């Protein structure tokens, strides 16, 4: 995950820091000052020459700063050299003044820069394109750019400081974007009556397999559960869930194809109460987020079974489609958490950044393979570390 996004972000960060780190005061200009600056011997000779009327002293500091503010290095350097010739030719004082001026030039042109709002706008276009290309929703991309602008614009930074600040700021923003997940296993353990979870999502996202993975996870933690075959429409869906049940030695409650899925869930809850089972996991038929009638059927299943949690199952690799899917399910039936499958083959990672922010609901688990053990608990810190921006 993130292999494409992290490479693009690294390239962008490098571009910003390189361009802003370039000095407008070239090395050859500094060398020129050194060449033209009077040394001790020439200053002493100057002191022994016939004493002419002393030239009027001028405030070189003030003139120099004024020229630099106008943006002209050539004029500033010229003023500097002229001013130095008009100092009282006292060797020690003049050399001291010379070093002071060199230091002044270095501090102004050494690469320390302030990123202006206008300059950031130019860079932000590239950043927005990078985020959108990697499945980050527009709303989320705009949030990231807005927050980053507030953190780096107007800061007086060296080249290496710019790069460090951008990396640090991006990580902080991503932590804000991602919703902190709740511990669903702990909730199951603490509830006395059966804890009911209703799983929903679109066709082909791997919902039935993910339910089996979650059942296996509960079993590993000594929590017993029952599976409800609420997908009574898809061919072989009941057989698929029963096969998982047999492998895991977990009971499966099923009716005939075409029967009411709400009734299947209801019977599974009755079975769990009778047999002192802690959790009921209800499978449902996949349905497209645009099919309003099928989504309303989900409302009935929820109303009849009163689940403790409704979990949406989506695919990491679907990109912005996943964002629209989870939004539609949340608006119709209300979801509590998200599981994203196929995270192991997701090179972009933007979907995981977007779905939680759009719905303000947390990602609970990531599917990372085909085996029962391939269900990874979502961890914000660990997830962001995968970007490897450092």
């Amino acid at each position: 995950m993130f292999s494409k996004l992290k490479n693009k972000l690294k390239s962008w960060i490098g571009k910003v820091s390189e361009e802003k780190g370039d000095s407008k005061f070239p090395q050859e200009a500094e060398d020129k000052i050194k060449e033209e600056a009077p040394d001790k011997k020439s200053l002493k000779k100057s002191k022994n020459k016939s004493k002419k009327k002393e030239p009027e002293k001028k405030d070189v500091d003030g003139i120099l700063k004024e020229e630099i503010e106008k943006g002209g290095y050539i004029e500033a350097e010229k003023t500097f050299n002229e001013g130095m010739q008009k100092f009282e030719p006292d060797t020690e004082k003049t050399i001291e003044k010379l070093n002071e001026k060199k230091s002044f030039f270095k501090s102004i042109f050494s690469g320390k820069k302030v990123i202006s709002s206008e300059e950031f706008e130019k860079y932000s276009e590239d950043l927005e394109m990078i985020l959108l290309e990697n499945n980050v929703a527009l709303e989320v991309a705009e949030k990231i750019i807005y927050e980053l602008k507030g953190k780096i614009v107007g800061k007086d930074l060296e080249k290496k400081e710019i790069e460090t600040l951008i990396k640090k700021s991006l990580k902080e923003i991503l932590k804000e974007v991602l919703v902190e997940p709740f511990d669903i296993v702990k909730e199951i353990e603490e509830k006395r009556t059966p804890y009911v979870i209703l799983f929903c999502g679109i066709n082909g996202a791997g919902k039935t397999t993910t339910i089996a993975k979650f059942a296996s996870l509960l079993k590993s933690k000594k929590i017993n559960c029952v599976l409800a075959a609420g997908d009574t429409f898809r061919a072989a869906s009941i057989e698929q869930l029963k096969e998982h049940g047999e492998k895991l030695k977990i009971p499966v409650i099923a009716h005939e194809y075409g029967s009411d899925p709400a009734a299947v869930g209801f019977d599974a809850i009755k079975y769990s109460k009778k047999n002192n089972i802690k959790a009921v996991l209800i499978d449902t038929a996949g349905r497209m987020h645009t099919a309003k009638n099928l989504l309303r059927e989900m409302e009935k299943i929820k109303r009849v079974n009163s689940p403790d949690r409704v979990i949406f199952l989506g695919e990491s690799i679907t990109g912005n489609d996943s964002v629209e899917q989870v939004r539609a399910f949340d608006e119709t039936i209300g979801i509590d958490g998200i599981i994203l499958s196929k995270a192991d083959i997701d090179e972009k990672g933007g979907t995981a950044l977007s779905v939680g922010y759009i719905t303000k609901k947390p990602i609970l688990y990531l599917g990372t393979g085909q085996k029962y053990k391939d269900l990874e608990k979502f961890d914000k810190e660990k997830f962001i570390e995968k970007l490897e921006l450092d």
Side-chain angles (χ1 to χ4, degrees):
M1 183 176 281
F2 281 142
S3 58
K4 288 188 177 179
L5 178 58
K6 69 185 178 188
N7 290 335
K8 290 280 188 179
L9 283 177
K10 278 184 179 180
S11 175
W12 181 82
I13 291 168
K15 179 181 175 184
V16 176
S17 60
E18 283 294 331
E19 289 188 17
K20 292 311 299 172
D22 290 342
S23 170
K24 290 185 179 179
F25 186 66
Q27 183 63 44
E28 52 266 32
E30 187 177 340
D31 293 340
K32 187 177 178 184
I33 289 179
K34 289 179 181 177
E35 289 171 12
E36 295 181 1
D39 57 19
K40 286 189 178 183
K41 288 183 180 178
S42 63
L43 287 171
K44 284 181 180 178
K45 284 180 182 178
S46 174
K47 191 172 183 180
N48 294 328
K49 284 185 180 178
S50 58
K51 294 182 179 180
K52 295 182 180 180
K53 185 178 179 182
E54 289 185 5
E56 181 185 352
K57 294 181 181 179
K58 292 188 178 181
D59 183 358
V60 178
D61 287 346
I63 297 171
L64 186 60
K65 289 178 182 176
E66 186 179 332
E67 292 294 344
I68 289 172
E69 285 172 3
K70 290 177 184 177
Y73 161 68
I74 300 301
E75 290 301 317
E77 183 192 22
K78 184 179 176 185
T79 304
F80 167 65
N81 289 331
E82 289 175 355
M84 289 304 300
Q85 291 169 12
K86 293 174 184 176
F87 288 150
E88 180 181 359
D90 180 278
T91 306
E92 299 302 328
K93 286 185 179 178
T94 306
I95 290 174
E96 194 177 302
K97 201 73 176 174
L98 173 63
N99 290 332
E100 192 178 304
K101 293 302 143 195
K102 283 169 65 182
S103 174
F104 176 74
F105 267 107
K106 276 191 171 184
S107 67
I108 294 295
F109 297 106
S110 66
K112 216 161 182 175
K113 282 291 168 189
V114 175
I115 298 179
S116 68
S117 182
E118 292 75 19
E119 287 168 326
F120 182 82
E121 289 302 322
K122 179 183 73 172
Y123 298 127
S124 69
E125 290 178 9
D126 289 339
L127 178 57
E128 181 177 77
M129 189 57 63
I130 288 168
L131 294 171
L132 294 177
E133 286 174 350
N134 285 276
N135 290 340
V136 177
L138 178 61
E139 185 179 335
V140 182
E142 289 175 345
K143 156 84 174 173
I144 291 170
I145 291 168
Y146 176 79
E147 294 290 335
L148 184 60
K149 181 178 180 180
K151 289 177 181 288
I152 70 171
V153 167
K155 299 288 191 305
D156 191 13
L157 301 164
E158 298 281 2
K159 171 184 169 181
K160 63 181 180 181
E161 292 175 331
I162 292 173
E163 189 170 332
T164 301
L165 180 61
I166 293 175
K167 289 176 181 178
K168 181 184 174 186
S169 300
L170 276 172
K171 287 188 176 183
E172 289 174 352
I173 293 164
L174 295 181
K175 285 179 187 176
E176 291 174 16
V177 166
L178 294 166
V179 181
E180 192 68 42
F182 54 85
D183 191 338
I184 193 167
V185 172
K186 187 177 179 181
E187 289 185 356
I188 295 170
E189 288 173 332
E190 292 177 348
K191 190 176 180 186
R192 292 186 179 180
T193 56
Y195 190 99
V196 181
I197 305 174
L198 178 64
F199 290 85
C200 63
I202 66 159
N203 304 304
K207 186 161 23 61
T208 302
T209 303
T210 300
I211 291 171
K213 288 180 182 180
F214 188 69
S216 176
L217 173 68
L218 293 181
K219 186 176 180 181
S220 71
K221 295 183 179 296
K222 311 299 182 187
I223 299 173
N224 57 1
C225 66
V226 59
L227 307 179
D231 183 354
T232 59
F233 296 96
R234 179 171 62 89
S237 60
I238 297 174
E239 285 77 12
Q240 183 185 6
L241 194 64
K242 282 183 175 180
E243 185 177 340
H244 285 304
E246 287 174 9
K247 287 180 180 178
L248 294 168
K249 294 182 171 47
I250 293 173
V252 176
I253 304 302
H255 290 186
E256 298 296 323
Y257 283 103
S259 59
D260 185 354
V264 179
F266 185 80
D267 285 350
I269 294 170
K270 279 174 59 178
Y271 178 89
S272 67
K273 289 177 179 177
K274 182 179 179 181
N275 293 278
N276 198 28
I277 291 174
K278 290 284 286 182
V280 179
L281 312 183
I282 304 175
D283 190 11
T284 59
R287 56 206 73 210
M288 294 303 295
H289 58 291
T290 52
K292 301 299 180 184
N293 289 336
L294 291 175
L295 285 180
R296 278 194 287 272
E297 184 185 60
M298 285 294 301
E299 287 182 293
K300 178 188 175 184
I301 301 172
K302 181 180 178 180
R303 186 174 64 254
V304 170
N305 294 286
S306 301
D308 294 276
R309 295 290 191 183
V310 177
I311 305 300
F312 173 84
L313 196 289
E315 288 182 310
S316 293
I317 56 175
T318 311
N320 281 323
D321 277 351
S322 279
V323 175
E324 293 308 312
Q325 292 161 11
V326 71
R327 196 202 302 264
F329 274 87
D330 189 42
E331 289 174 353
T332 306
I333 62 172
I335 67 168
D336 299 296
I338 301 161
I339 296 176
L340 291 177
S341 64
K342 305 178 184 178
D344 53 319
I345 58 172
D346 178 20
E347 294 182 326
K348 298 180 177 182
T351 302
L353 292 176
S354 301
V355 289
Y357 179 78
I358 296 297
T359 61
K360 307 303 179 197
K361 304 296 166 59
I363 299 171
L364 303 178
Y365 292 93
L366 297 173
T368 57
Q370 296 300 311
K371 298 177 182 178
Y372 290 133
K373 65 179 180 61
D374 295 331
L375 190 66
E376 180 183 321
K377 188 175 181 180
F378 185 79
D379 183 314
K380 281 205 317 185
E381 300 286 340
K382 199 173 171 183
F383 181 76
I384 293 169
E385 280 175 14
K386 289 181 181 178
L387 269 173
E388 295 176 359
L389 292 176
D390 294 329

